[in-house]
Amino acid sequence: MSDPLRLGIAGLGTVGAGVVKIVRQKATLLAERAGRPVVVSAVSARTRDKDRGVPLSSYAWEDDPVALATRDDVDVFVELMGGSDGPAKAAVEAALAAGKDVVTANKAMLAHHGQALAELAEANGAVLRFEAAVAGGIPVIKALTESLAGNDIQRVVGVMNGTCNYILTRMEDGGLTYEAAFAEADALGYLEADPTLDVGGIDAGHKLSLLAAIAFGTQVDFDAVELEGIGKVTIDDIRQAADMGFRIKLLGVSRMTGRGLEQSMAPCLVPAASPLGQLAGGTNMVVIEGDQVGQIVMRGAGAGEGPTASAVMGDVMDIARGLRVSTFGRPAGTLARATPAKATAAAPYYLRMALVDRPGALAKAAQALGEAGVSIHRMRQYDHVDDAAPVLIVTHKTTRPSLDQALAAMMATGVVTHEPVALRIEEV
């Protein structure tokens, strides 16, 4: 059997400890599958004496992750510290500069610095892998870079943040307000230290930007992702969308168009009976559409010790077997800088508004839509609330600029009590 593949693991939180457990508990299985032993040589974390539920005394300890990344007895640097800059980035750069392969779960770092790190890896003959950075245990990176390599990818769609999906599911199943569901998720420890990373769509936007780069052969451009969180989604939206056969999801959508690369992460309606509509709790789902394979749906745990550590080990095992794949599936120098494009592909929209209680109000709202070229597919009016009439409209396919023109004209008529809520309906 060949020499062992030696890991240096920086970051011993939930995922890092999970990786150590897999290496220790499944040593024979890993060696049989890789054709060589996989071992841990050294580790690094902020606190040395913390009980992490797994023995660490047999491994060398480095206080400085950069020192760990450049040790002679480390073949693969496993970065699980997190953070887009700081020690994580410095250690990864040091490992790549030394020609060492890197496996990371750090979506923020790659979303902001992925192109430069990919170029550094290739310049030094190293591999940079990041399956664990997107959708936890779902092998979506491997699918795009390897299994679907013979396809031109047409669209990538997905629910990529389990916390947001949990909140939206609890709002529907439990009849909870957004605030109550948020508090419940917080109490269960589902939220990031900065909750806006989750509910603001930033975490999921990082992941979408990485998938888009692989799918469409472009440089990572997180700054071009259109972001809208779930904070404005109300229990009324949840109930009324369900009443019309839809569910609301924080949905990432990316497609290459004649105008450029669309990347949006925003609340959308999906058909309740669709795979995405059936997705509940903290589960993730990614839908990939290729010209040869059609639509592929991948569903699984998007976070947690086991699923994320499993993804890390998948990358480690590929390296142990000698598989060398470019960071984003193609040589970094060939990746194009995409022209950002707003998500204006025609789609139906869900509109919720409250009309003033006077004759002709509904007619004026409908006229504003019609004059902007937006036709109504379905409409429902509910009982008056505080002298206002709640109205729901599902449009036929239209572009966002046309819809914005209609909404502006509607506001100018004075028949709506506040700015209407407009959510795109994504057909999946």
Side-chain angles (χ1 to χ4, degrees), residues 9-22:
I9 302 176
L12 294 170
T14 299
V15 178
V19 172
V20 174
K21 289 176 186 176
I22 291 175

Side-chain angles (χ1 to χ4, degrees), residues 83-321:
S84 61
D85 293 284
K89 179 172 176 280
V92 167
E93 288 174 335
L96 295 175
K100 297 182 185 293
D101 296 333
V102 172
V103 173
T104 181
N106 194 332
K107 53 194 168 288
M109 178 183 69
L110 292 168
H112 290 283
H113 308 292
Q115 180 65 24
L117 292 174
E119 291 174 1
L120 180 61
E122 291 181 14
N124 291 280
V127 167
L128 173 60
R129 303 295 295 267
F130 58 96
E131 186 68 72
V134 180
I138 304 175
V140 61
I141 304 296
K142 180 177 281 290
L144 281 170
T145 56
E146 298 174 41
S147 303
L148 301 179
N151 286 257
D152 286 324
I153 303 302
Q154 298 163 330
R155 185 172 66 150
V156 177
V157 184
V159 170
M160 304 174 198
N161 184 277
T163 300
C164 287
N165 202 52
Y166 175 85
I167 289 172
L168 294 171
T169 299
R170 289 294 294 137
M171 288 175 71
E172 180 172 7
D173 292 348
L176 303 180
T177 64
Y178 169 79
E179 290 76 17
F182 178 97
E184 184 175 286
D186 193 23
L188 291 169
Y190 290 171
L191 289 164
E192 297 273 2
D194 177 2
T196 59
L197 291 174
D198 285 318
V199 298
I202 298 170
D203 167 83
H206 287 150
K207 299 169 186 176
L208 181 67
S209 70
L210 299 177
L211 293 183
I214 299 170
F216 302 109
T218 63
Q219 296 183 16
V220 181
D221 189 2
F222 169 69
D223 290 338
V225 179
E226 297 178 67
L227 290 177
E228 181 183 345
I230 63 172
K232 293 182 180 179
V233 177
T234 69
I235 186 62
D236 287 337
D237 291 319
I238 296 284
R239 289 170 175 160
Q240 292 163 358
D243 194 32
M244 302 185 83
F246 298 101
R247 288 198 171 100
I248 299 176
K249 301 293 180 183
L250 179 67
L251 202 64
V253 181
S254 182
R255 58 168 65 86
M256 184 65 75
T257 73
R259 297 170 292 99
L261 179 62
E262 292 183 2
Q263 300 181 87
S264 68
M265 182 64 64
C268 293
L269 273 68
V270 296
S274 69
L276 283 165
Q278 294 293 305
L279 191 69
T283 310
N284 282 195
M285 181 177 285
V286 180
V287 179
I288 301 172
E289 296 173 354
D291 65 336
Q292 301 300 312
V293 77
Q295 187 178 90
I296 298 292
V297 179
M298 292 179 284
R299 174 186 180 277
E305 176 183 317
T308 310
S310 171
V312 170
M313 287 308 301
D315 283 341
V316 168
M317 293 294 282
D318 278 348
I319 292 171
R321 293 171 176 136

Side-chain angles (χ1 to χ4, degrees), residues 49-100:
D49 299 325
K50 181 179 177 181
D51 181 7
R52 295 175 170 88
V54 61
L56 299 171
S57 58
S58 60
Y59 310 134
W61 181 278
E62 292 284 358
D63 291 320
D64 181 4
V66 173
L68 173 67
T70 54
R71 285 177 64 102
D72 291 338
D73 59 352
V74 168
D75 302 311
V76 179
F77 177 61
V78 181
E79 185 278 305
L80 302 171
M81 296 179 288
S84 61
D85 293 284
K89 179 172 176 280
V92 167
E93 288 174 335
L96 295 175
K100 297 182 185 293

